[in-house]
Amino acid sequence: MSYHGSMHRALAQENVARSTFAQTGVFGRMFPGLEAFPFSDAMLEALVAKIVADSQEPRQIGGGGPVNPRIPAGFTFFGQFVDHDITFDPTSSLEQQNDPEAIWNFRTPVLELDNVYGAGPSVSPFLYDSSAGPRASPAKLLIGLDSRGAENDLPRNRQGTALIGDPRNDENLIVSQLHLAFLKFHNKVVDHIRAHGNEHGTKPLDDRLAFADAQRIVRWHYQWIVLNEFLPLIVGQETINTLLGTSGPLVGQDPIGNVLDYLTFYRWSEDPFIPVEFAVAAYRFGHSQVRAGYSINNAFGALLFSDVPNGPSLAVGGNLVAAAAGHPVLNADRAVDWARFNRIPGVVPADGFPQESKMIDGKLSPPLFTLPNIAPGNPLDPRSLPLRNLKRGRAFGLPPGQLVARVMEAKHILSDAELEIDGLGFPAGVAPLWYYILKEAEVQHGGQQLAKWAARSWRRS
Ligand code: HEM
């Protein structure tokens, strides 16, 4: 039986991982009945070589491939920030099979900013401003000083390590400064509600209540941005409307009579969980949006990661300098000018700004092939981000993209010619899920957004 011919059999077969009803705390599967394909190292390496070969344009600020006029570059890093709020797998193996239900997610699968707030002032006190005294319950988050003594850096310990809820938010200058923006926003909201009251006009009686009010308001604003600005750019308003059921709840029946609704592909029993199809494939679409380098402000710009040792780059470490106190802090000349990354109402950006994101397509910018924090020369721990994504997908037993697209009733299944995988050693009609999703965006939307999803054959009640 051909691979595709076996698809429906696979839905019912015994020998597949099942974990739809995972507990919060571990990962799970969205399509537990779909069979994985055992891609060989040679296939994955051939695909990566194609991705890198096509993106060998000069490494330069703004380079890395064609741009997406629809999505400003700031949203790439907002997307990375969102990822760091909901999913973190520091423990699975790249080489051996992993059961998602046995792998802990170090973030909660909820848009509530645990990467900013940690576990709150009592459990994560190092994140908070205790200047009111050790007995006071801090309402504000701690902010660090840059090399000129201005509150423009993350708080850092004496070795320069950022004191934040998720270490990945200090991975590059842009996401680091975005994290700082959230710290500042929270503290401004505390000032605002102390002066004017919360959404009901009630002024907090103490710092504990001021914190709780501010945290709620910050989370609401963040969730508003995700739903009303970020997702429409990434998946399009039409898909959001379908999922939210804005034109009536989406309910129907599949060909064998199972009741379907908008959560048909994602269900949980007690608590939500992050599916590996999302964390290891779909949501890694953002890697394709990253450009080779960025202009940070009118005095500084650099490649994301340098190709020469200690060369200028946007890796945070190289942009820290020793402060008067002796510990490393951000060089004040490296603060991000956000008008270079986002359209900001009322702010006229310099000519040519905001910078655009890279198109979402089957190619990645060159710096992502030599990640800086991984030692070279160990094939079991590759420095290439696309190879890591593909191997991680294999180690979690993800189903091929075509199989998922068929089960989701995609209107168009990409051909091997559209996927440009002929000659790479793949069997016909089989491609890794992460790569398939990138090519869907490229083929169906010119790289400007991910493929739309519409429940074609379902009835609306
Ligand atoms: C800005 C440059 C970025 C770099 C250097 C970067 C780097 C990385 C690295 C090294 C990993 C771990 C790979 C592995 O071993 O499997 C990773 C994971 C991931 N990245 Fe990125 N990334 C970037 C941007 C983004 C963006 C823009 C998004 C989404 C919009 C994203 C989404 C993810 C997701 C979902 C994971 C899996 C997280 C987990 O569950 O642990 N990344 N990234």
Side-chain angles (χ1 to χ4, degrees):
M1 190 183 289
S2 75
Y3 187 71
H4 278 143
S6 68
M7 183 182 76
H8 293 293
R9 178 179 55 82
L11 285 169
Q13 83 175 40
E14 300 291 327
N15 190 22
V16 288
R18 294 182 186 284
S19 55
T20 297
F21 297 104
Q23 299 297 309
T24 288
V26 289
F27 289 93
R29 284 187 200 277
M30 200 162 160
F31 299 102
L34 296 190
E35 210 171 7
F37 184 84
F39 295 105
S40 67
D41 279 354
M43 290 175 196
L44 300 184
E45 279 158 18
L47 183 55
V48 170
K50 177 179 171 50
I51 294 171
V52 73
D54 284 356
S55 54
Q56 278 304 316
E57 63 170 82
R59 286 164 164 256
Q60 61 192 22
I61 295 171
V67 294
N68 180 353
R70 205 165 152 264
I71 307 184
F75 281 101
T76 305
F77 297 90
F78 183 78
Q80 188 182 24
F81 180 87
V82 170
D83 166 46
H84 298 169
D85 182 22
I86 54 178
T87 165
F88 190 15
D89 158 28
T91 62
S92 75
S93 164
L94 263 189
E95 294 297 329
Q96 288 162 12
Q97 285 297 311
N98 299 287
D99 175 359
E101 284 184 56
I103 300 294
W104 198 255
N105 181 3
F106 279 65
R107 294 275 78 82
T108 50
V110 183
L111 294 167
E112 66 2 344
L113 296 170
D114 57 343
N115 54 350
V116 170
Y117 293 112
S122 313
V123 179
S124 310
F126 59 95
L127 300 176
Y128 292 85
D129 180 355
S130 58
S131 53
R135 282 163 195 273
S137 173
K140 289 190 173 180
L141 286 152
L142 187 61
I143 293 181
L145 305 181
D146 68 16
S147 60
R148 282 200 276 273
E151 289 204 323
N152 261 333
D153 190 14
L154 300 179
R156 297 183 185 280
N157 70 14
R158 66 190 170 87
Q159 295 175 333
T161 303
L163 302 171
I164 51 177
D166 188 309
R168 297 170 300 172
N169 277 356
D170 199 34
E171 182 243 274
N172 67 69
L173 205 46
I174 308 163
V175 80
S176 171
Q177 290 267 294
L178 182 59
H179 189 104
L180 173 68
F182 273 88
L183 303 181
K184 288 186 173 182
F185 180 48
H186 172 91
N187 289 356
K188 286 272 183 215
V189 175
V190 170
D191 290 339
H192 182 87
I193 57 178
R194 277 177 176 157
H196 306 287
N198 63 15
E199 69 273 20
H200 306 297
T202 311
K203 289 189 184 172
L205 295 174
D206 60 22
D207 287 342
R208 206 179 295 269
L209 291 172
F211 171 75
D213 275 349
Q215 186 188 45
R216 183 181 65 254
I217 290 168
V218 169
R219 284 173 171 166
W220 281 347
H221 279 78
Y222 165 64
Q223 290 165 356
W224 190 94
I225 296 170
V226 171
L227 189 60
N228 295 292
E229 291 194 75
F230 178 63
L231 285 176
L233 290 172
I234 302 305
V235 301
Q237 194 60 45
E238 213 178 307
T239 302
I240 296 171
N241 292 347
T242 305
L243 290 171
L244 292 180
T246 34
S247 40
L250 184 65
V251 180
Q253 290 191 334
D254 73 6
I256 55 167
N258 293 319
V259 174
L260 303 169
D261 65 23
Y262 63 96
L263 285 179
T264 283
F265 302 117
Y266 175 57
R267 289 186 181 282
W268 65 88
S269 59
E270 286 165 26
D271 293 305
F273 63 92
I274 294 286
V276 282
E277 293 87 343
F278 175 84
V280 184
Y283 200 70
R284 296 195 188 201
F285 78 92
H287 292 163
S288 171
Q289 293 186 302
V290 177
R291 296 179 75 172
Y294 297 89
S295 164
I296 293 297
N297 55 41
N298 62 11
F300 181 67
L303 287 174
L304 188 64
F305 306 127
S306 174
D307 42 3
V308 293
N310 302 322
S313 88
L314 303 184
V316 171
N319 293 294
L320 302 182
V321 290
H327 73 281
V329 296
L330 184 70
N331 177 342
D333 297 330
R334 305 293 154 86
V336 168
D337 169 6
W338 286 113
R340 288 173 185 245
F341 287 88
N342 291 315
R343 296 179 197 108
I344 303 175
V347 176
V348 181
D351 258 4
F353 293 102
Q355 296 158 94
E356 289 149 330
S357 58
K358 185 187 146 303
M359 211 180 243
I360 307 168
D361 60 14
K363 301 177 183 66
L364 261 57
S365 290
L368 296 179
F369 291 80
T370 47
L371 294 171
N373 297 325
I374 300 174
N378 179 358
L380 300 182
D381 190 23
R383 299 182 79 195
S384 156
L385 186 54
L387 189 57
R388 295 184 79 85
N389 291 343
L390 293 168
K391 285 193 160 187
R392 192 79 64 195
R394 179 177 66 183
F396 272 112
L398 297 189
Q402 292 91 335
L403 199 49
V404 173
R406 274 181 213 284
V407 168
M408 292 186 76
E409 300 190 5
K411 284 187 182 147
H412 177 73
I413 307 295
L414 298 185
S415 67
D416 288 1
E418 286 169 318
L419 286 163
E420 300 181 89
I421 51 172
D422 287 329
L424 299 184
F426 292 92
V430 177
L433 183 58
W434 171 67
Y435 179 73
Y436 185 93
I437 289 166
L438 295 181
K439 291 299 278 188
E440 257 189 349
E442 179 185 330
V443 171
Q444 296 181 13
H445 295 282
Q448 298 203 6
Q449 67 161 74
L450 297 177
K452 285 181 198 161
W453 180 73
R456 187 172 44 147
S457 59
W458 299 359
R459 295 192 308 266
R460 283 176 189 283
S461 64

